[in-house]
Structures are given as C-alpha cells and as structure tokens.
Amino acid sequence: MGGVTPASLAPILLVLGDEELLATRAVTEAVAKARSIEPEVDVREYQASQLTVGEIAEMLSPSLFGGRRLLILRSGQDARKDLVAALLAYAKNPDPDVQLLVLHLGGAKGKAFADGLRAAGATVVPAAKLKGHRDRVAFVRDEIRRAGGKCTDDAAEALIAAVGNDLRELAAACSQLVADTDGRISADTVSRYYRGRVEVTGFTVADATMVGDVPAALEALRWALHVGVDPVPIADALADGVRTVARVASAGRGSPYQLASSLGMPAWKIERAQRQGRGWTPEGLVRAMQVAAECNAAVKGGSDDRAYALERAVFSVAAARQGSTR
C-alpha cells in the first residue's frame, strides 16, 4: 500500500459488473487502502434498495467528530430514483473525508445511475464476467503476477484446461501454484502439478458436459488424458454428474439445505446440480444415463479407443440435453 495518501483515494468508486470475485476483491482492496491511511476508518455497508434519501444525506454530511468514512452501497442498480438523484448531486461535490463505493451489476437496470456516476468523475473498477478465453488467459497471468510469480501464455492455457473457467477456482490455483513452486510457471510446471489430480479433471469434464459446454468439456478431457489421468475415473465422474442431476431434478423444488438430508448429499452439490439441471428434460436425462452407462462399459471393458469413447459420450450427453435424437 506504499504511496497511498488521502489525496490518492478516489472520492467515488464505481465497481461495475456481475463477476462476484472481482467485485468482492474491489471492496476488499478499497477497505484495505482506506485502513492503510486511517486504521480507524468508519466502514459502513448498505443495500441501495433499502436506503432513503434522509439516511444517505446523514451519512454523507460532514461528521462532527471528524475521521474518514467509507460507505459501501451494494446493488446500486436497485436504487430508487430519489436516491439516485441525491447521490448524483452529491457526486458533483463530494466530501474529501468520505469515500463512496457503489457496486452495480452493469446491466440495463439502473443504467442512468452508473452513467451519471461515471460522468461525475467516479473511478470505474471493471468487474464484468470474463467472456472469452483470451480474457481468462490474461486473468490467470495477472493473478500469478499478483502472487509474485511469472507465467507464460501456454501455462495459463494449461491451467484453465486443468481447473476450468470458474474465476474463484482459477485464482486459488494461481496462488497455490506460486506458493508451491519457485514462481516461474510454465506449461510443464502445470502439467507436473496437476498430473493425476482426478478430482479436478474428471469433474471438470463432467461439469462442462452437463451444462452443454462441449468445447470446454473436450478441452478438459483432452488435457486430462494428456497429463495421464486414467479414463476410468473420468467416465465415473461423468456418470456421477448425470446421476446427481437426475436425482436432484426428481426431488422437486426446494432449497439445497432442505434437500440435503433427504437426498443424503451436501448442499453445495445439490446447488450445483440444480444449476446444471436447467435446460434438461426427464427424457434427456434418461438418455444421458444410458450414454454414461455405455461409456462406462466401453472404458472399463478395455475398449480399443477409450479416449474416443469418452469424447463420443461428451457429444451424446450434450445432444441429450438439447433434446436431440442423435
């Protein structure tokens, strides 16, 4: 935090986007910066939809007792019109002892508020979901740099293939890799580190397949086979993925915590299966279970080309999800 002074703190921060990891990190860094200047900074958090104009005026007015304040306004897109008007008026002449941080999903809802803050000179911190593969490669390289390491493009590609696209998992993998190595990360480093880590690769293939993301599933599958993961646990993970979604779907609606005891599964697994189950029909799941069983038989029965059997299963399960008759 060297070089941080009260003057270097942006009076208004607009964290724009719907990627939870990036938004959470922006808040954490803002709080850490403010505390590096004044350890006793008064940090307050509010939901924009629940705030009144009177409350915000009181929070933003100069304090009798002095001292810095950091006001964090969550779900800025839900702020009512009168609150937006008051905040945009404030933004034109902000209090130097107050830092206002607004989190906004960045969509069409409440767009005038985000645009107004930007026009008033707010510092924008991008927190949008990363759309393309190149963005994720850049994210991995930045993460490894943040952790004090160095990484090549092909190492970043290899890590994404091994871990998947979830930013939280990628961030954790980056810091773990730097901590466990000398910090110079190549594709070979990643390959050595993840060789045989079936809990990552097998389930990465299954997760991507169940949501119909065939390119990601094939990429993960080829990487798993490339680093020497046995095909049997991958086939098992695929079968488990289909079975879990089918069981959770047949249990009907309910919160993961309510269903956890009746299904004998952890709530996180139920929550993931509910997410993956969107877009599936009962007929599609029956077909996918047949595909997974055939794949298991081929892989465990010593099929001549077990990699081909797994690839075919990925395509067939994805086709079953789309209601295809293939």
Side-chain angles (χ1 to χ4, degrees), residues 243-264:
R243 232 183 356 255
T244 303
V245 168
R247 277 187 69 200
V248 170
S250 65
R253 292 180 182 277
S255 84
Y257 298 97
Q258 288 168 333
L259 295 173
S261 55
S262 60
L263 290 176

Side-chain angles (χ1 to χ4, degrees), residues 300-316:
K300 290 173 184 173
S303 156
D304 286 346
D305 193 343
R306 300 193 297 169
Y308 174 69
L310 284 165
E311 284 203 7
R312 199 177 56 202
V314 166
F315 281 114
S316 300

